Amino acid sequence: MITLKTFDKAVYDTIVRATTTIAPDIDKAFRDALDKEHEGLGKVALETTYENVQFGVDNKLLVCSDTGWPLFFIKLGEDAKLEGGLSGLEDRCRKMVAKATEDAYLRATVKHPITGYDTGNNVGANVPAFTYHIVPGSSIEVIYVSKGGGSECFGGTRYQVLGFADGVEGIEKFVIESYISGCRAGKICSPSLIGVGVGGTADISAKLAKEASSLRTIGSRHPEPEIAALEERLEKAINMLGIGCFGLGGSQSVFCVNVEYAFSHIGGIAVSVGASCCITRRATTVINDDNTTEIKLVPDWFEGR
Amino acid sequence: MATYHLQVPLKDEEIRKLRIGDIVFFTGEAFTTRSKFQRYIFDQGHEFPFSLKGRNLLIHCGPVVIKEGGKWKAVSFGPTTSIRFEKWGPKSIKNWNLKCIIGKATMGESTQQAMKEYGCIHVSMIGVTSNLGLSQIEIKDVFLKDEMGSIEAPWLVQCTDYGPFLVDIDTNGDNYYDTMDEIFKQNKKKAFEYLNIPEDFDYTKLY
């Protein structure tokens, strides 16, 4: 059985790791982009941002000020046992979010949307949010995503229903135009990790877009060749736009475009575009039944899709 | 494109000679704001909580601040997206006698007009600088912390060669990012060509 002591520590450490370090695939994407970007303010912005990240990692400071929405993605082993029962899992996570906020590893960023009431600890109605996959085994895998507000609030997230008549061109046009308007003046901190959710209901497509942007490893490709080809084409096309880091111009406009899909109603195709910041913050820990824990460097959320 | 090291209080004649694309650094006092404080002052009509004399540099920022040995210390200090405060742009410039707003992601038409009228500029950080800026700013004071919360309260800070920042709106009312928009518009044609999207392609009007 996983004790609360083990669980709490693992969750807390995962949150802190997400906001004060950078995952290896994102680190590599920065370094690759720096190699390919040769001049101009976009290059300066990329260098500065990477330096800011490294300063944060070296000094255990936030790699970006805006720690955003606290999001948990949990792969729950079907035989997992948590001290006090699995129904207490979310409450423990909420407590760790509050503790991490108190310790300044999260900025107290979320509050009541109407009254402005601020708990000061990032815990409130429906936040933090939880998404589950039930998997074989007795471990609990906790993925924590610190979802930045820039990419979420300023045009990094778009939704539209297209006709089947619009086809792949329609999807591609929507992605390109969404990204251009979202990136104006560095609103969404490009080069982004773009997620595209195609098909399903509005919420399914938005969820797929969010997970594709925040949880897919950079450089991974969708296993279906048609979808992988769409990802490659979109990446190439977006990098032709010259948006660069923070909309300041350059060849490195996007770190990746990840497409996930759900079967669509014959009436129309829901398409969502989601963006995650160049400093995408995510961390993963596997908590085993014998109370050992393992850090996973990249999540494999879409494994077995 | 030139680089300037400016002293606060910012002088009208110095600000008016800056042009979009210039790079600036600031030394002297500045204060922070986000939405809640501007709503409190401009929409709810409360009195401004401290003297604005000699303080004409505003930073759009919600810092992370801790208390260490009885003293406030910023552990993350990054300018934030200014466009969301567009509603209060002209009022903040006029009522607070601002000469410069530091932020990110520029501001809109009404603020550009006000900047032209009152001689104010907007500057943006070049990349994320929330940690790199820590050695350039020192927290001096905070006001209305209980009412506003730590992130949205106005913090008074001392800047030491704080920068670099890019001038993106100048006192002519020109915007640096309008020039970028033109480039993206041209490149969009190339991207659409690559994707074989016809120029006259339009979505089926489903709603």
Side-chain angles (χ1 to χ4, degrees), chain B residues 10 14 30-31 43-44 50 53 58 65-66 74 78 84-85 106 109 112 125 134 145 168 170 178 180-181 190 197 202:
Chain B
L10 299 164
E14 278 182 339
F31 62 101
D43 300 354
Q44 296 160 4
F50 55 92
K53 194 169 184 294
L58 175 69
V65 181
I66 58 166
R84 74 185 93 179
F85 313 124
T106 201
E109 192 59 38
Q112 280 173 219
M125 58 177 189
L134 290 176
K145 189 171 164 293
D168 61 81
D170 62 22
D178 288 343
M180 299 308 297
D181 285 347
K190 287 185 218 161
I197 301 172
D202 203 3

Side-chain angles (χ1 to χ4, degrees), chain A residues 274-287:
Chain A
S276 188
C277 326
C278 58
I279 315 176
T280 285
R281 278 125 321 135
R282 53 165 145 80
T284 308
T285 306
V286 182
I287 311 166

Side-chain angles (χ1 to χ4, degrees), chain B residues 26-202:
Chain B
F26 301 95
T27 297
E29 277 187 346
F31 62 101
T32 67
T33 188
R34 291 188 67 109
S35 301
K36 199 171 184 176
F37 181 60
Q38 293 185 89
R39 274 181 73 88
Y40 177 85
I41 297 293
F42 297 127
D43 300 354
Q44 296 160 4
H46 292 281
E47 203 177 316
F48 199 86
F50 55 92
S51 167
L52 280 164
K53 194 169 184 294
R55 291 166 178 158
N56 55 9
L57 174 61
L58 175 69
I59 310 176
H60 287 154
C61 175
V64 184
V65 181
I66 58 166
K67 211 160 203 178
E68 206 175 63
K71 272 189 74 180
W72 293 114
K73 184 190 164 194
V75 290
S76 196
F77 193 93
T80 193
T81 303
S82 300
I83 188 68
R84 74 185 93 179
F85 313 124
E86 179 65 16
K87 180 186 175 187
W88 304 295
K91 277 185 188 162
S92 62
I93 292 164
K94 182 171 172 250
N95 296 12
W96 299 349
N97 294 313
L98 300 177
K99 285 285 126 193
C100 177
I101 298 174
I102 296 177
K104 185 193 151 205
T106 201
M107 295 190 77
E109 192 59 38
S110 59
T111 300
Q112 280 173 219
Q113 278 306 316
M115 290 191 160
K116 194 173 172 182
E117 193 178 343
Y118 298 103
C120 181
I121 58 168
H122 183 273
V123 304
S124 285
M125 58 177 189
I126 307 164
V128 177
T129 60
S130 54
N131 293 322
L132 302 177
L134 290 176
S135 59
Q136 301 169 335
I137 61 107
E138 193 188 334
I139 301 283
K140 292 188 75 173
D141 210 348
V142 64
F143 302 86
L144 301 167
K145 189 171 164 293
D146 291 342
E147 293 89 333
M148 299 287 126
S150 172
I151 314 298
E152 301 221 54
W155 292 89
L156 198 59
V157 298
Q158 178 71 32
C159 306
T160 307
D161 221 21
Y162 185 35
F165 294 102
L166 169 74
V167 178
D168 61 81
I169 302 174
D170 62 22
T171 54
N172 286 340
D174 290 331
N175 193 312
Y176 182 84
Y177 294 102
D178 288 343
T179 59
M180 299 308 297
D181 285 347
E182 271 311 303
I183 297 170
F184 304 157
K185 211 167 122 187
Q186 290 307 314
N187 289 340
K188 191 175 115 177
K189 285 183 190 160
K190 287 185 218 161
F192 275 24
E193 219 168 277
Y194 166 73
L195 293 169
N196 297 317
I197 301 172
E199 253 181 69
D200 59 353
F201 179 94
D202 203 3

Side-chain angles (χ1 to χ4, degrees), chain A residues 150-201:
Chain A
S151 57
E152 198 67 27
C153 297
F154 305 112
T157 303
R158 296 288 174 97
Y159 168 77
Q160 185 163 328
V161 181
L162 303 177
F164 268 89
D166 301 331
V168 174
E169 286 116 311
I171 295 168
E172 290 176 338
K173 180 182 158 86
F174 182 59
V175 174
I176 300 284
E177 290 185 338
S178 299
Y179 198 57
I180 291 176
S181 62
C183 282
R184 183 173 195 269
K187 281 187 292 189
I188 68 172
C189 298
S190 53
S192 310
L193 288 66
I194 297 289
V196 184
V198 182
T201 54

Side-chain angles (χ1 to χ4, degrees), chain A residues 241-293:
Chain A
L241 295 171
I243 291 169
C245 186
F246 269 63
L248 289 165
S251 64
Q252 302 301 302
S253 302
V254 71
F255 280 164
C256 59
V257 178
N258 301 326
V259 180
E260 294 292 332
Y261 76 91
F263 269 34
S264 191
H265 190 286
I266 50 173
I269 310 168
V271 182
S272 293
V273 178
S276 188
C277 326
C278 58
I279 315 176
T280 285
R281 278 125 321 135
R282 53 165 145 80
T284 308
T285 306
V286 182
I287 311 166
N288 297 316
D289 189 57
D290 62 2
N291 288 291
T292 56
T293 57

